Amino acid sequence: MEAVRDTIAYLLGRRAFEERHHRRYQFAASLALRLAVSVAALAYVLDAQGEWRLVRAVLLAWVPVRLFIPELMGLVHALSSGIRHQALADVQGQHYVFRGKPMRVAEWVPGERWIAVPDLERALEHPIRLGPLQKAHGEQCQQREGRWWLSAPACLDYLDGLQHAQALKLRHWVHGTVWLPSGQARRQGRDRWRR
Protein backbone atom coordinates (compact mmCIF):
# COMPACT_ATOMS: atom_id res chain seq x y z
CA MET A 1 0.00 0.00 0.00
CA GLU A 2 2.91 2.33 0.76
CA ALA A 3 4.24 1.83 -2.78
CA VAL A 4 0.87 2.89 -4.23
CA ARG A 5 0.79 6.02 -2.04
CA ASP A 6 4.37 6.90 -3.04
CA THR A 7 3.61 6.46 -6.73
CA ILE A 8 0.49 8.65 -6.47
CA ALA A 9 2.49 11.28 -4.54
CA TYR A 10 5.14 11.21 -7.28
CA LEU A 11 2.49 11.62 -10.02
CA LEU A 12 1.03 14.59 -8.14
CA GLY A 13 4.51 16.12 -7.81
CA ARG A 14 4.71 15.88 -4.02
CA ARG A 15 7.57 13.38 -3.81
CA ALA A 16 10.74 12.61 -5.76
CA PHE A 17 10.82 9.50 -7.91
CA GLU A 18 12.06 6.40 -6.05
CA GLU A 19 12.73 3.42 -8.25
CA ARG A 20 12.25 0.75 -5.58
CA HIS A 21 8.75 2.02 -4.72
CA HIS A 22 7.85 2.32 -8.39
CA ARG A 23 8.99 -1.24 -9.11
CA ARG A 24 6.95 -2.60 -6.19
CA TYR A 25 3.92 -0.67 -7.43
CA GLN A 26 4.38 -2.00 -10.98
CA PHE A 27 4.66 -5.57 -9.72
CA ALA A 28 1.63 -5.21 -7.43
CA ALA A 29 -0.48 -3.58 -10.17
CA SER A 30 0.55 -6.24 -12.69
CA LEU A 31 -0.23 -9.04 -10.25
CA ALA A 32 -3.64 -7.55 -9.39
CA LEU A 33 -4.52 -7.18 -13.06
CA ARG A 34 -3.50 -10.75 -13.86
CA LEU A 35 -5.45 -12.09 -10.89
CA ALA A 36 -8.52 -10.11 -11.95
CA VAL A 37 -8.31 -11.54 -15.49
CA SER A 38 -7.92 -15.06 -14.08
CA VAL A 39 -10.96 -14.63 -11.80
CA ALA A 40 -12.98 -13.24 -14.73
CA ALA A 41 -11.98 -16.28 -16.81
CA LEU A 42 -13.04 -18.58 -13.95
CA ALA A 43 -16.41 -16.84 -13.70
CA TYR A 44 -16.82 -17.11 -17.46
CA VAL A 45 -16.18 -20.88 -17.37
CA LEU A 46 -18.47 -21.50 -14.42
CA ASP A 47 -21.27 -19.63 -16.21
CA ALA A 48 -20.99 -21.78 -19.35
CA GLN A 49 -23.68 -24.19 -20.45
CA GLY A 50 -23.55 -27.22 -22.72
CA GLU A 51 -20.97 -27.70 -25.47
CA TRP A 52 -19.03 -24.50 -24.76
CA ARG A 53 -18.14 -25.72 -21.27
CA LEU A 54 -15.08 -27.68 -22.57
CA VAL A 55 -13.80 -24.73 -24.58
CA ARG A 56 -14.19 -22.47 -21.58
CA ALA A 57 -12.42 -25.00 -19.34
CA VAL A 58 -9.43 -25.00 -21.72
CA LEU A 59 -9.51 -21.21 -21.66
CA LEU A 60 -9.53 -21.28 -17.87
CA ALA A 61 -6.45 -23.50 -17.83
CA TRP A 62 -4.64 -21.41 -20.47
CA VAL A 63 -5.29 -17.89 -19.15
CA PRO A 64 -3.61 -18.19 -15.71
CA VAL A 65 -0.68 -20.11 -17.15
CA ARG A 66 -0.20 -17.50 -19.88
CA LEU A 67 -0.54 -14.62 -17.44
CA PHE A 68 1.89 -16.05 -14.88
CA ILE A 69 4.54 -17.48 -17.22
CA PRO A 70 7.39 -15.19 -15.97
CA GLU A 71 6.77 -16.16 -12.35
CA LEU A 72 6.35 -19.84 -13.23
CA MET A 73 9.58 -19.84 -15.26
CA GLY A 74 11.42 -18.11 -12.40
CA LEU A 75 10.09 -20.70 -9.97
CA VAL A 76 11.14 -23.58 -12.24
CA HIS A 77 14.61 -22.05 -12.66
CA ALA A 78 15.04 -21.54 -8.91
CA LEU A 79 13.91 -25.09 -8.16
CA SER A 80 16.15 -26.66 -10.82
CA SER A 81 19.16 -24.58 -9.69
CA GLY A 82 18.61 -25.59 -6.07
CA ILE A 83 18.22 -29.25 -6.95
CA ARG A 84 21.33 -29.18 -9.16
CA HIS A 85 23.34 -27.43 -6.44
CA GLN A 86 22.30 -30.01 -3.84
CA ALA A 87 22.93 -32.94 -6.18
CA LEU A 88 26.43 -31.76 -7.13
CA ALA A 89 27.48 -30.39 -3.71
CA ASP A 90 29.61 -33.41 -2.84
CA VAL A 91 31.59 -33.28 -6.11
CA GLN A 92 31.93 -29.50 -6.42
CA GLY A 93 35.45 -28.55 -7.38
CA GLN A 94 36.59 -32.12 -8.06
CA HIS A 95 36.14 -32.31 -11.80
CA TYR A 96 39.43 -30.62 -12.79
CA VAL A 97 42.14 -32.81 -14.32
CA PHE A 98 45.68 -31.85 -15.38
CA ARG A 99 47.33 -34.48 -17.60
CA GLY A 100 45.38 -37.32 -16.01
CA LYS A 101 45.93 -36.11 -12.43
CA PRO A 102 42.81 -34.91 -10.56
CA MET A 103 43.10 -31.37 -9.21
CA ARG A 104 40.89 -30.20 -6.35
CA VAL A 105 39.68 -26.67 -7.01
CA ALA A 106 37.44 -24.96 -4.45
CA GLU A 107 35.40 -21.79 -4.71
CA TRP A 108 34.28 -20.77 -1.21
CA VAL A 109 33.57 -17.21 -2.34
CA PRO A 110 32.07 -16.87 -5.83
CA GLY A 111 34.76 -15.91 -8.31
CA GLU A 112 37.74 -16.79 -6.05
CA ARG A 113 39.22 -20.18 -6.81
CA TRP A 114 41.73 -22.09 -4.71
CA ILE A 115 43.85 -25.09 -5.68
CA ALA A 116 44.90 -27.81 -3.21
CA VAL A 117 48.66 -27.71 -2.59
CA PRO A 118 48.99 -31.55 -2.47
CA ASP A 119 47.51 -31.70 -5.98
CA LEU A 120 49.99 -29.08 -7.17
CA GLU A 121 52.80 -31.20 -5.73
CA ARG A 122 51.47 -34.26 -7.56
CA ALA A 123 51.18 -32.33 -10.83
CA LEU A 124 54.67 -30.82 -10.51
CA GLU A 125 56.12 -34.18 -9.39
CA HIS A 126 58.15 -32.57 -6.60
CA PRO A 127 57.35 -31.38 -3.04
CA ILE A 128 56.37 -27.80 -2.27
CA ARG A 129 57.82 -26.27 0.90
CA LEU A 130 54.99 -24.60 2.82
CA GLY A 131 57.17 -22.17 4.84
CA PRO A 132 58.46 -20.16 1.86
CA LEU A 133 55.08 -20.49 0.14
CA GLN A 134 53.27 -18.95 3.13
CA LYS A 135 55.90 -16.23 3.51
CA ALA A 136 55.68 -15.26 -0.16
CA HIS A 137 51.88 -15.33 -0.50
CA GLY A 138 50.52 -14.63 3.01
CA GLU A 139 46.70 -14.78 3.04
CA GLN A 140 46.67 -16.36 -0.41
CA CYS A 141 47.93 -19.61 1.18
CA GLN A 142 45.48 -21.01 3.75
CA GLN A 143 44.68 -24.25 5.51
CA ARG A 144 41.07 -25.41 5.17
CA GLU A 145 39.36 -28.76 5.40
CA GLY A 146 42.55 -30.41 6.64
CA ARG A 147 44.76 -29.42 3.67
CA TRP A 148 46.64 -26.39 2.37
CA TRP A 149 45.16 -24.32 -0.45
CA LEU A 150 46.70 -21.71 -2.72
CA SER A 151 44.64 -19.08 -4.52
CA ALA A 152 44.73 -19.15 -8.32
CA PRO A 153 46.62 -15.81 -8.70
CA ALA A 154 49.16 -16.89 -6.05
CA CYS A 155 49.53 -20.23 -7.84
CA LEU A 156 50.29 -18.40 -11.09
CA ASP A 157 52.91 -16.27 -9.29
CA TYR A 158 54.46 -19.37 -7.70
CA LEU A 159 54.61 -21.22 -11.01
CA ASP A 160 56.20 -18.18 -12.71
CA GLY A 161 59.17 -18.58 -10.39
CA LEU A 162 59.79 -22.23 -11.37
CA GLN A 163 62.05 -22.94 -14.33
CA HIS A 164 61.11 -26.45 -15.50
CA ALA A 165 58.82 -27.51 -18.34
CA GLN A 166 56.14 -29.17 -16.17
CA ALA A 167 55.70 -25.89 -14.22
CA LEU A 168 55.18 -23.98 -17.49
CA LYS A 169 52.54 -26.50 -18.65
CA LEU A 170 50.80 -26.39 -15.25
CA ARG A 171 50.87 -22.58 -15.26
CA HIS A 172 49.23 -22.55 -18.70
CA TRP A 173 46.56 -25.00 -17.45
CA VAL A 174 45.86 -23.01 -14.24
CA HIS A 175 45.63 -19.76 -16.22
CA GLY A 176 43.24 -21.09 -18.87
CA THR A 177 41.17 -23.59 -16.88
CA VAL A 178 40.98 -22.19 -13.36
CA TRP A 179 41.84 -18.49 -13.25
CA LEU A 180 40.29 -16.99 -16.40
CA PRO A 181 36.86 -18.68 -16.11
CA SER A 182 36.56 -17.60 -12.45
CA GLY A 183 36.24 -13.93 -13.39
CA GLN A 184 39.26 -12.89 -11.28
CA ALA A 185 41.08 -11.76 -14.41
CA ARG A 186 38.18 -9.45 -15.40
CA ARG A 187 37.95 -7.96 -11.91
CA GLN A 188 41.69 -7.38 -11.64
CA GLY A 189 41.67 -5.75 -15.07
CA ARG A 190 38.81 -3.44 -14.05
CA ASP A 191 40.57 -2.54 -10.76
CA ARG A 192 43.81 -1.81 -12.59
CA TRP A 193 41.96 0.34 -15.14
CA ARG A 194 40.19 2.39 -12.40
CA ARG A 195 43.48 3.34 -10.70
Side-chain angles (χ1 to χ4, degrees):
M1 199 61 186
E2 176 188 353
V4 174
R5 278 195 307 255
D6 289 345
T7 303
I8 292 171
Y10 164 71
L11 292 173
L12 295 175
R14 296 183 189 148
R15 180 175 271 184
F17 177 76
E18 289 188 37
E19 185 178 356
R20 65 186 175 91
H21 291 303
H22 183 66
R23 284 186 182 205
R24 283 194 309 188
Y25 170 74
Q26 279 184 327
F27 177 75
S30 169
L31 188 63
L33 179 64
R34 289 183 283 170
L35 284 172
V37 170
S38 296
V39 168
L42 176 63
Y44 180 70
V45 167
L46 293 177
D47 187 46
Q49 299 292 326
E51 62 195 41
W52 290 101
R53 193 168 186 91
L54 180 63
V55 173
R56 290 184 180 187
V58 170
L59 179 67
L60 174 66
W62 179 79
V63 167
V65 169
R66 177 64 183 100
L67 291 175
F68 293 98
I69 279 181
E71 285 78 14
L72 292 172
M73 294 303 291
L75 180 64
V76 167
H77 176 71
L79 286 173
S80 65
S81 296
I83 291 169
R84 186 172 42 246
H85 179 72
Q86 287 297 324
L88 300 176
D90 59 337
V91 295
Q92 186 272 336
Q94 303 203 14
H95 53 279
Y96 292 90
V97 177
F98 171 73
R99 296 186 173 250
K101 296 170 183 152
M103 303 288 286
R104 284 172 291 210
V105 177
E107 190 170 339
W108 294 292
V109 176
E112 291 182 16
R113 294 190 178 164
W114 296 72
I115 302 170
V117 173
D119 297 341
L120 289 173
E121 289 177 329
R122 194 176 328 109
L124 289 171
E125 299 173 353
H126 73 79
I128 296 175
R129 294 187 339 202
L130 285 173
L133 189 68
Q134 285 178 295
K135 186 181 276 187
H137 299 290
E139 290 294 316
Q140 299 295 311
C141 181
Q142 296 181 3
Q143 186 173 18
R144 287 187 180 193
E145 301 174 356
R147 69 179 59 90
W148 285 93
W149 296 84
L150 190 62
S151 72
C155 183
L156 292 172
D157 289 343
Y158 174 74
L159 294 171
D160 277 341
L162 300 178
Q163 298 298 320
H164 56 85
Q166 189 73 353
L168 180 62
K169 292 172 187 171
L170 183 58
R171 187 200 184 287
H172 180 66
W173 180 85
V174 168
H175 184 267
T177 306
V178 178
W179 187 61
L180 280 178
S182 72
Q184 285 176 307
R186 255 190 326 275
R187 280 194 303 281
Q188 285 181 355
R190 277 197 306 260
D191 293 345
R192 198 175 301 128
W193 180 77
R194 286 177 183 153
R195 287 184 204 151

